Amino acid sequence: MPTVEPVSNLPQPDKPQPLRDSAALALSGGGYRAMLFHTGTLWRLGQLGFFQDRPLQRFGIDGNESVGKLERISSVSGGSIISAKLALEFSSLENLGPVEFDRAFTELVVGPIRHLAGVTLAGMSAKGVFQVIKDIALPGEVNAHVAKALDDALYNGKTLQDLPDRVRFIFNASNLQSGAVWRFSKPYMGDWKVGRVMNPALSIARAVGASAAFPPVLAPATLELKDSDFVPDDGTLFLRHPPYTTSVALADGGVYDNLGLETCYKSFKTLFVSNAGKPFAEQPDVSVNWVSIGSRCLDVMDNQVLSLRKRLLVQAFEARERYGAFWDIKQDIGVHALADCLPCPLESTRQLALVPTDLATKDMETQKRLINWGYAVADAAVRAHFNGQLPPPIGFPYPESAL
């Protein structure tokens, strides 16, 4: 009869720590659609003072209190594209008033993001053929070319060591070898099974490219490292050896956690979560084609994991175990029951929730409407569930487009 290893001897994930009173923000995956939706979300949060170096104030039915500063922004895929750009411009944005913030955010963040949204990196063509950036015929893995395009458009050779210190930005990918979430941040990169590389000098573009490496076309994103790059094994890292430490194969962070929530939920009492991921759609006729049915099975599994994470978060809010807000690209803005929210017809927002989640060109009008929608629903969720005393918005960022 085989022996059973004691639980204490088995490898364990990050041990739960006491919850911090400060706040964290999670930005989901979802390609360019998520990138633009979260751009609107960040625009509104910046106006409301979330990036300032001061505590946030909660005003709720069970009391008023200071909950601490925003200390973490965790992101996946399309969320990581915009989050990384925000990070590089953060020092120029963090302590501005609403008017000054609008001007700077539009110039430093929105402009470059919208320019990128007009360029196809990967997506379905009008003829139904999957296309990737034109230099894909060149040597090297696909993801490296995507990372180069991101670097040219947004990051200009900056590395993880160029990220700010006051707010920790984390870009999440999925380690296809260990099955764990791989974190990229300024202090370290790695996962709880393989270990950590401290103070990594990796380019932000490579980190974001890995976070957005959706399979099968853009994955894997392979990191060629040295075993000596990792912190020595403390006896708990059962994959702390080659090839796990020398050739790390990563994919889109959404494979593991498309909300980017895990790296926040274990540590922070106040959570803000923006979800622009692909809504699950019922399918009356299921193809017997192996590729199609395999893809459908993955969609069903992903939907179940996402539903569990959302349910866990909402239940924690309802039980007053956590504070904050959750908003979703496919929500009816009416669920927030806010009398003075911006007008967002459900028919229009449902159409925006159907915009493809690829890295393909989005037309100017779609860009504006996605930004407007992220702005409006973030505003409604935060003022309805976190602080009803915050001032309402004057209007949409792009009033000529509305929704």
Side-chain angles (χ1 to χ4, degrees):
M1 181 176 178
T3 59
V4 178
E5 187 172 4
V7 173
S8 60
N9 292 341
L10 294 177
Q12 300 292 319
D14 295 339
K15 294 181 180 179
Q17 302 294 323
L19 293 177
R20 303 180 194 177
D21 290 331
S22 48
L25 169 65
L27 304 175
S28 79
Y32 279 173
R33 184 183 78 185
M35 177 184 76
L36 292 162
F37 180 86
H38 297 322
T39 297
T41 282
L42 294 170
W43 200 331
R44 184 55 182 151
L45 295 183
Q47 289 179 343
L48 293 174
F50 272 55
F51 305 147
Q52 295 186 3
D53 189 9
R54 59 177 173 80
L56 301 176
Q57 299 296 319
R58 183 182 72 86
F59 291 87
I61 59 174
D62 57 348
N64 307 331
E65 64 176 338
S66 170
V67 300
K69 304 174 186 178
L70 179 69
E71 289 189 350
R72 179 169 299 183
I73 299 180
S74 173
S75 59
V76 175
S77 191
S80 290
I81 298 175
I82 173 63
S83 179
K85 184 57 178 172
L86 173 70
L88 290 177
E89 307 298 346
F90 198 77
S91 63
S92 299
L93 298 168
E94 62 178 329
N95 287 313
L96 299 179
V99 175
E100 294 80 8
F101 175 83
D102 272 3
R103 186 181 301 114
F105 189 75
T106 302
E107 177 185 351
L108 299 175
V109 178
V110 180
I113 286 293
R114 289 196 57 194
H115 179 76
L116 176 65
V119 178
T120 292
L121 298 185
M124 296 298 293
S125 70
K127 297 180 180 179
V129 178
F130 201 91
Q131 294 182 329
V132 292
I133 50 179
K134 290 182 291 185
D135 65 353
I136 199 60
L138 296 174
E141 65 181 22
V142 175
N143 194 268
H145 293 295
V146 171
K148 181 181 183 304
L150 291 171
D151 198 50
D152 292 342
L154 298 176
Y155 310 133
N156 301 311
K158 299 294 187 180
T159 76
L160 293 173
Q161 295 310 300
D162 292 305
L163 296 174
D165 292 310
R166 184 174 68 78
V167 174
R168 180 176 299 184
F169 286 80
I170 297 178
F171 314 119
N172 297 286
S174 303
N175 190 332
L176 297 177
Q177 295 159 301
S178 70
V181 61
W182 180 279
R183 307 182 188 191
F184 293 99
S185 67
K186 184 174 183 176
Y188 73 89
M189 67 178 182
D191 70 36
W192 69 270
K193 294 183 180 180
V194 178
R196 297 180 175 185
V197 176
M198 305 306 294
N199 305 312
L202 189 76
S203 74
I204 289 175
R206 283 294 279 162
V208 173
S211 182
F214 59 85
V217 179
L218 299 186
T222 305
L223 302 182
E224 300 297 339
L225 304 170
K226 296 182 294 185
D227 185 68
S228 58
D229 291 336
F230 286 78
V231 173
D233 187 4
D234 61 359
T236 64
L237 304 171
F238 70 113
L239 296 182
R240 172 59 179 83
H241 57 79
Y244 299 100
T245 54
T246 54
S247 186
V248 184
L250 304 174
D252 191 300
V255 174
Y256 185 93
D257 169 19
N258 200 47
L259 289 179
L261 181 58
E262 178 162 317
T263 54
C264 300
Y265 193 84
K266 296 176 181 178
S267 302
F268 292 87
K269 188 173 183 178
T270 300
L271 301 166
F272 300 94
V273 181
S274 180
N275 181 31
K278 178 181 177 182
F280 181 77
E282 289 72 21
Q283 188 172 310
D285 299 311
V286 178
S287 172
V288 296
N289 175 279
W290 285 9
V291 174
S292 297
I293 200 168
S295 176
R296 182 60 179 174
C297 288
L298 290 175
D299 285 344
V300 172
M301 290 186 288
D302 178 69
N303 181 62
Q304 284 301 301
V305 173
L306 180 62
S307 296
L308 288 171
R309 289 186 185 275
K310 288 167 61 175
R311 190 178 308 144
L312 176 70
L313 178 67
V314 172
Q315 287 175 346
F317 285 156
E318 291 175 345
R320 303 289 188 268
E321 296 171 357
R322 305 295 175 94
Y323 301 115
F326 170 81
W327 54 95
D328 195 305
I329 194 170
K330 66 177 184 293
Q331 279 180 336
D332 177 353
I333 200 169
V335 303
H336 300 296
L338 189 68
D340 59 349
C341 65
L342 291 168
C344 300
L346 181 58
E347 181 179 351
S348 297
T349 59
R350 281 181 171 169
Q351 288 300 312
L352 290 173
L354 296 176
V355 172
T357 57
D358 53 17
L359 300 180
T361 300
K362 303 295 179 267
D363 65 79
M364 294 294 184
E365 192 65 17
T366 298
Q367 291 182 27
K368 292 178 181 179
R369 293 174 67 223
L370 281 167
I371 291 172
N372 281 349
W373 178 216
Y375 179 98
V377 72
D379 169 76
V382 170
R383 290 197 295 121
H385 307 294
F386 180 69
N387 185 343
Q389 296 190 10
L390 290 170
I394 297 173
F396 289 108
Y398 299 102
E400 72 280 7
S401 298
L403 292 179

